[in-house]
Amino acid sequence: MRKLKIGVIGAGARGEGFARELHAGTPRAELFGICDLDADRLKKFVDYCGLKGARTFTDPDRFFASKEMDAVMITTPDFTHRDVAVKALKAGKHIYLEKPMATTAEECRDILRAQKKTGRTAFVGFNMRAVTLYERLKQVVDSGVLGQIVHIEGLEQLSIAHSASFMRRFHRKRQNTGGLLNHKCSHDLDIILWFIGHQHKVKRIACFAGLNVFVPQKAPAKYCHECPADIFAACPYKDQAGFVFPVGGAQPIHHRKRETYGGDLCVYTEDKDTFDNWTLILEWDNGIRGNFNLQMFQSRGLRETRLWGELGTLQFANGALRTTLSRTGDVIEHHIPAASKGGHGGSDPRMIGRFVAAIEGKGPADSGLAEGLAATIVAQKALESALTGKVMSIAPEEYGI
Ligand SMILES: NC(=O)c1ccc[n+]([C@@H]2O[C@H](COP(=O)([O-])OP(=O)(O)OC[C@H]3O[C@@H](n4cnc5c(N)ncnc54)[C@H](O)[C@@H]3O)[C@@H](O)[C@H]2O)c1
């Protein structure tokens, strides 16, 4: 049986993993080709990833017009997602669209409308749902062991290098992402909304966020290469390897467009309007409340989750998943299945597998579009709350198209 041919648009950090995976060949799919607007970047990408024989395109229209291509993985920056996704759907391609779905709720709705019209398979890249830990957490939540759920808490903490990468690339500007909460944490918001269940809708949000550490007053120079040697030597933020293309490389390949792709723009420079810490409070229509925190500058990245219910608490912290029962104090340690092989804790190959299965009619065809909209609504309202100091409401109809 013919394998599906899948193209990748966006020859960057995220595209790297998918292009490599597809080029190596999966049981039911193979790489068709790569598209990027920037010819220089495209060439470096194909050479670095060893994608011998891959077709390359710098014109998305020609790329989408390719008859042999069945589907496309969209790994371009957030602000392009709506236009690229709608164009791909209209060209009859199935799409796997990286998170966040788009930068605003209205852009997400445009993608949903295009998917409804074309009937193509559409996935949002919420790969955390394919991480065995979160699958296990969801099972425990749904088992009812906590009784009536009252509160959920999520935390994402970023390492020094990861934090730095968000201060000097396209995502340092809100207009490119819809805000860092949307860009970085639409994953985490999706997981929180998934645990509570999408039949329940968040109806109120309050958010406090700010730039406390990466403030322009501390900038010794605009770029690292202009920085006084002693300050540069002591700066912990000069290294961002691992979070920019090439992900496997020791240091980013520097490009003409250093502020777009990642380079040595000073993390303190005023050329950004992002925040470096976020605290969010949520209330659902069924009375459940929750909070989420994004924090930076730490020795390592981590995520933690806690749920409180009438019958107990469930917590994932320090690598352990455990329930503590309220009435007896008994502690249940939950086994976390080993992560499968591959990028992002094994979730990347699993997501490609689910995408291919959906295209072949063996799984849900619309995986994550409504949820992508919900996560972006929450992130957008959170940003509005942080900027205005107001508690924001979400009307039920805002979750529709
Ligand atoms: N699921 C995850 O865990 C995860 C992780 C990292 C990034 N992402 C997402 O992946 C996307 C890309 O992030 P990245 O870090 O790889 O960015 P990147 O800057 O490394 O790469 C993006 C590439 O897209 C190209 N591009 C820009 N506009 C284009 C267009 N209209 N058509 C074709 N090519 C275009 C750029 O030239 C660049 O090469 C973002 O939306 C990000 O949120 C998801």
Side-chain angles (χ1 to χ4, degrees):
M1 205 168 135
R2 175 184 172 273
K3 280 190 177 186
L4 291 176
K5 290 196 183 295
I6 304 186
V8 174
I9 181 164
R14 187 63 179 139
E16 183 182 333
F18 290 137
R20 283 181 190 277
E21 202 79 55
L22 289 166
H23 186 66
T26 74
R28 296 285 316 115
E30 62 194 11
L31 183 67
F32 166 73
I34 313 284
C35 178
D36 200 289
L37 296 180
D38 183 329
D40 173 50
R41 173 85 153 179
L42 189 57
K43 183 172 180 331
K44 286 188 166 107
F45 184 90
V46 169
D47 291 348
Y48 183 80
C49 298
L51 307 177
K52 275 197 195 118
R55 264 159 283 198
T56 54
F57 299 79
T58 51
D59 175 358
D61 291 329
R62 273 195 51 233
F63 177 63
F64 291 132
S66 308
K67 292 244 173 349
E68 320 95 277
M69 183 168 75
D70 302 290
V72 59
M73 310 202 68
I74 301 171
T75 56
T76 55
D78 315 356
F79 61 90
T80 67
H81 285 185
R82 187 252 310 262
D83 290 354
V84 175
V86 169
K87 201 175 257 198
L89 287 165
K90 282 189 176 162
K93 307 305 174 195
H94 307 285
I95 62 164
Y96 181 105
L97 173 60
E98 255 317 328
K99 62 85 211 163
M101 185 169 164
T103 62
T104 64
E106 203 39 42
E107 287 183 357
C108 293
R109 292 188 194 101
D110 286 345
I111 298 169
L112 267 154
R113 288 183 199 110
Q115 193 269 336
K116 292 258 174 312
K117 245 188 217 162
T118 61
R120 299 286 89 184
T121 293
F123 266 50
V124 174
F126 286 139
N127 52 288
M128 273 172 72
R129 290 201 199 179
V131 171
T132 50
L133 161 68
Y134 291 101
E135 286 179 335
R136 184 77 185 110
L137 251 159
K138 173 74 172 155
Q139 277 170 5
V140 179
V141 173
D142 287 352
S143 73
V145 67
L146 301 180
Q148 184 185 344
I149 292 172
V150 175
H151 192 93
I152 183 163
E153 178 181 278
L155 162 74
E156 177 163 26
Q157 167 187 300
L158 303 180
S159 69
I160 286 176
H162 209 175
S163 309
S165 84
F166 290 109
M167 298 295 131
R168 46 167 60 121
R169 298 177 61 207
F170 70 88
H171 31 42
R172 75 190 185 283
K173 296 204 172 169
R174 297 200 289 258
Q175 67 180 29
N176 292 338
T177 61
L180 193 59
L181 197 67
N182 187 50
H183 172 78
K184 179 69 187 86
C185 301
S186 56
H187 271 319
D188 303 80
L189 296 175
D190 175 63
I191 287 290
I192 286 176
L193 302 181
W194 184 48
F195 287 162
I196 300 304
H198 276 91
Q199 68 278 24
H200 305 297
K201 307 289 183 208
V202 173
K203 65 168 192 179
R204 292 204 306 163
I205 295 170
C207 179
F208 297 88
L211 190 72
N212 289 32
V213 170
F214 291 126
V215 292
Q217 298 88 306
K218 293 187 195 168
K222 185 163 181 199
Y223 297 105
C224 298
H225 70 266
E226 295 169 350
C227 190
D230 54 333
I231 299 179
F232 178 75
C235 179
Y237 300 114
K238 52 185 178 274
D239 178 18
Q240 50 179 333
F243 299 101
V244 295
F245 171 72
V247 173
Q251 283 295 321
I253 294 176
H254 286 244
H255 298 266
R256 285 172 285 129
K257 299 182 185 169
R258 63 175 79 218
E259 283 94 342
T260 304
Y261 296 141
D264 67 346
L265 186 70
C266 176
V267 289
Y268 298 110
T269 183
E270 64 191 357
D271 178 28
K272 62 181 182 297
D273 59 10
T274 190
F275 296 139
D276 59 26
N277 64 95
W278 296 73
T279 299
L280 172 61
I281 306 171
L282 305 160
E283 185 176 55
W284 276 258
D285 56 11
N286 59 352
I288 293 180
R289 298 186 181 87
N291 62 284
F292 176 75
N293 263 288
L294 171 63
Q295 303 302 335
M296 297 193 177
F297 340 107
Q298 303 310 309
S299 61
R300 66 185 180 107
L302 62 80
R303 285 186 161 107
E304 291 184 354
T305 308
R306 287 183 185 77
L307 285 107
W308 284 260
E310 189 191 359
L311 301 182
T313 58
L314 170 65
Q315 83 162 24
F316 172 71
N318 299 318
L321 180 60
R322 58 175 65 102
T323 299
T324 306
L325 300 176
S326 328
R327 297 181 187 184
T328 58
D330 289 349
V331 175
I332 306 165
E333 301 285 350
H334 303 284
H335 169 69
I336 305 173
S340 34
K341 279 196 185 139
H344 273 107
S347 62
D348 287 354
R350 295 181 86 198
M351 288 299 278
I352 294 176
R354 288 179 189 181
F355 179 48
V356 169
I359 295 171
E360 293 183 330
K362 298 172 192 154
D366 166 4
S367 179
L369 288 195
E371 292 88 342
L373 167 64
T376 291
I377 292 177
V378 168
Q380 186 176 337
K381 297 276 181 172
L383 178 60
E384 283 169 27
S385 171
L387 294 174
T388 61
K390 291 183 182 155
V391 175
M392 307 304 294
S393 300
I394 307 176
E397 56 273 19
E398 292 185 64
Y399 288 97
I401 59 173

